Amino acid sequence: MQNIVLATIILTFAVLEVASGRHRNFHATADDTRLELFMFIALIAISQPLAFMLTGKLCAWLMPDQRGAWSSLPWWAMTAILLVGDDMTQYWWHRVSHTPLLWPLHRAHHTAHYMSIRITYRNNFFYYLMMPGLWISGVLVYLGFGTVYLVYIVVKLTVILGAHSAVRWDEPLYRIRWLHPLAWVLERTISTPATHWAHHALTNDDGIGHYKGNFGNLLFVWDMVFGTAKITRRYPAKVGLQDDLVFGKERWFVEMFYPLFQSRRQHSVLARGGRVHAPSEVDADGAKAC
């Protein structure tokens, strides 16, 4: 059911991107398409089912009497627990993934030189397998959150897809004066194209880019609370990684399956013993990883 709903939401955003004509600006390579397609399939067919299956079996072994034990909680309490157990932990997972240790597992998400729903799940294969929120959600579903989780994840995916979409749905909110109060509330509550595009910016030098912040997935509240928010109501002219412009893009299977596959680039965090290029060169990998 979740996958059917997800496919419907994705199709809706895809139609909007095509109808707007923004898809013509992607200039995606064959490697871009392979990485995005195979990661999406891997997430819905392997990573999430595997995490939920294993957590279900572990919970049944370790606490068999607790199956459905929290099912009597009101929906709003379940939602609050999911927001902390899934969305807040994903904020921290995302934030930690911008440190040198985990950057190689998240780097693929930032190598896209365009914004679109197609890059939403563009990550390393192991990035999702290690995501704490996915495993916590599996435990909560075992405890009886199944129905509420389905609604929650549909809302969350809609917001996340909208934040990555080439169709900047929040733009009218900033342009139309009487909508400014609504914009003020939304941009401080959920991830929007303006705040999330800034996170993908090619540079911070334009005063818009903010790739060391704006980590929120569903809720932008976490950025507000933990001091990583930047709101400009503007969109960066370019997104991606500068080192890819200088040294060429990594192959899709290296980005997806590192460390099983290694980069052949001299300057790459995806190579064993590889080094990030010096600050005197165009230092995007180092900036994004620090």
Side-chain angles (χ1 to χ4, degrees):
M1 176 63 70
Q2 176 189 313
N3 290 341
I4 293 174
V5 174
L6 173 59
T8 302
I9 296 171
I10 291 175
L11 181 61
T12 301
F13 275 110
V15 169
L16 291 174
E17 288 191 348
V18 172
S20 69
R22 292 182 183 271
H23 67 291
R24 300 190 189 97
N25 300 323
F26 294 167
H27 305 297
T29 67
D31 268 17
D32 286 323
T33 301
R34 292 188 186 101
L35 175 60
E36 292 156 2
L37 178 61
F38 293 151
M39 264 312 307
F40 175 69
I41 294 173
L43 175 61
I44 65 173
I46 300 174
S47 302
Q48 187 188 52
L50 180 63
F52 276 45
M53 180 189 71
L54 290 179
T55 52
K57 289 185 178 297
L58 284 171
C59 288
W61 175 47
L62 296 173
M63 48 182 189
D65 297 335
Q66 294 300 306
R67 184 185 296 273
W70 293 7
S71 59
S72 60
L73 289 175
W75 67 268
W76 55 265
M78 292 186 184
T79 301
I81 293 171
L82 281 166
L83 286 173
V84 174
D86 172 67
D87 198 56
M88 190 187 74
T89 60
Q90 190 171 351
Y91 162 87
W92 282 105
W93 176 244
H94 187 187
R95 185 169 174 173
V96 171
S97 295
H98 278 257
T99 62
L101 178 63
L102 292 176
W103 173 245
L105 300 186
H106 183 55
R107 183 186 184 279
H109 190 64
H110 286 268
T111 59
H113 52 276
Y114 47 86
M115 294 300 294
S116 166
I117 59 166
R118 57 184 286 168
I119 76 167
T120 304
Y121 301 106
R122 176 181 173 134
N123 267 300
N124 181 278
F125 177 75
F126 302 104
Y127 178 82
Y128 289 113
L129 279 181
M130 296 169 60
M131 183 181 289
L134 196 59
W135 297 87
I136 293 172
S137 294
V139 174
L140 293 175
V141 168
Y142 176 85
L143 292 173
F145 283 42
T147 302
V148 172
Y149 178 76
L150 178 60
V151 177
Y152 163 81
I153 204 66
V154 167
V155 173
K156 178 171 181 173
L157 293 175
T158 301
V159 171
I160 295 174
L161 287 165
H164 288 88
S165 175
V167 179
R168 304 187 302 215
W169 61 263
D170 57 339
E171 203 163 15
L173 302 180
Y174 314 136
R175 188 174 63 249
I176 303 172
R177 188 174 183 82
W178 65 270
L179 290 177
H180 286 184
L182 176 60
W184 190 93
V185 173
L186 282 179
E187 67 192 359
R188 286 163 175 78
T189 306
I190 63 173
S191 293
T192 63
T195 54
H196 198 68
W197 283 38
H199 177 70
H200 282 258
L202 187 67
T203 177
N204 283 351
D205 295 340
D206 59 2
I208 301 173
H210 189 49
Y211 50 69
K212 292 185 180 180
N214 292 12
F215 297 114
N217 289 271
L218 166 56
L219 294 184
F220 193 74
V221 169
W222 309 126
D223 286 284
M224 301 293 294
V225 171
F226 298 117
T228 54
K230 182 174 183 177
I231 299 174
T232 66
R233 298 189 174 183
R234 293 184 293 164
Y235 310 88
K238 294 182 179 181
V239 298
L241 293 181
Q242 293 188 28
D243 72 303
D244 279 357
L245 297 178
V246 176
F247 301 109
K249 300 187 73 170
E250 306 280 10
R251 295 304 311 274
W252 72 270
F253 52 86
V254 173
E255 291 193 280
M256 181 170 176
F257 292 113
Y258 174 88
L260 300 182
F261 291 96
Q262 304 281 321
S263 173
R264 295 185 177 181
R265 276 177 29 181
Q266 179 183 6
H267 298 284
S268 177
V269 297
L270 302 183
R272 184 175 289 109
R275 63 186 182 88
V276 175
H277 39 285
S280 59
E281 297 170 281
V282 184
D283 191 6
D285 249 345
K288 298 224 177 189
C290 294

